Amino acid sequence: HINRERNSMRHYLFVYGTLKKGFPNHDHYMRSARDLGKYQTIEKYPLVLCGPRYVPCMIFSPGDGQHVEGQLYEVDEECLNRIDALERVKDSDGYRRTVIRVSSSGRVNQDIRDALAYFMLPEQITDRRSNNLKTYGPDQAKKYTPRK
């Protein structure tokens, strides 16, 4: 009974890379998520490709970069736990999950919501493979290699 209540907790999650619909990690990790549409960050952040696997990384450096475009989902605890494992949030070199503000892409500064997002810290970025991106698209996804 307690487990069922815990899993019914819902969170807003902003995704900007391989978890977006149509991208490599979406179908496996986002199957229980509810798509709320296209959103963008209110604050500017650097979004870059990193390392030999060309992983998309949003860097926690508010004010730098661009208003990152992505998708907003409503997710349950189970989905969030799966993504935490993918993003290795418990590892020192993994992503950090934090709350940011996002707004609907179609209406700038409207439909503003607090949402969870996954970031790398600036000091974690040692092998940057791109300039700052506004959006992670099919051209960038072609370079991506999943973790083995």
Side-chain angles (χ1 to χ4, degrees):
H1 181 73
I2 290 174
N3 241 0
R4 194 175 304 135
E5 284 180 12
R6 186 168 165 253
N7 281 336
S8 69
M9 285 182 58
R10 306 298 286 182
H11 307 275
Y12 292 126
L13 176 66
F14 176 76
V15 299
Y16 53 84
T18 65
L19 290 167
K20 293 192 311 184
K21 187 175 183 125
F23 289 84
N25 288 321
H26 179 273
D27 290 349
H28 181 73
Y29 291 94
M30 304 295 286
R31 60 185 172 265
S32 64
R34 187 167 69 97
D35 186 353
L36 299 176
K38 293 181 179 184
Y39 278 70
Q40 66 185 13
T41 61
I42 289 182
E43 189 76 60
K44 291 180 178 180
Y45 295 99
L47 171 61
V48 298
L49 301 180
C50 293
R53 295 178 36 238
Y54 288 86
V55 175
C57 298
M58 194 159 60
I59 304 169
F60 194 75
S61 184
D64 294 336
Q66 303 189 46
H67 298 283
V68 175
E69 296 175 342
Q71 297 167 350
L72 188 68
Y73 286 88
E74 189 176 58
V75 299
D76 59 20
E77 283 293 311
E78 186 179 313
C79 181
L80 207 53
N81 290 337
R82 280 195 309 271
I83 298 167
D84 280 354
L86 169 71
E87 306 296 14
R88 299 175 17 257
V89 296
K90 293 181 179 171
D91 296 348
S92 62
D93 63 344
Y95 286 79
R96 305 295 182 262
R97 180 166 36 100
T98 192
V99 175
I100 62 168
R101 312 242 321 132
V102 296
S103 67
S104 176
S105 290
R107 300 165 302 213
V108 177
N109 288 330
Q110 290 190 19
D111 195 18
I112 296 172
R113 299 181 191 222
D114 289 335
L116 298 169
Y118 291 89
F119 284 93
M120 287 284 191
L121 300 175
E123 58 270 20
Q124 291 176 275
I125 306 300
T126 58
D127 188 4
R128 188 174 170 149
R129 304 277 177 118
S130 75
N131 293 324
N132 288 338
L133 304 169
K134 184 173 183 66
T135 190
Y136 179 80
D139 289 343
Q140 291 81 26
K142 284 179 201 168
K143 299 177 182 179
Y144 173 75
T145 306
R147 191 180 307 117
K148 292 181 172 137

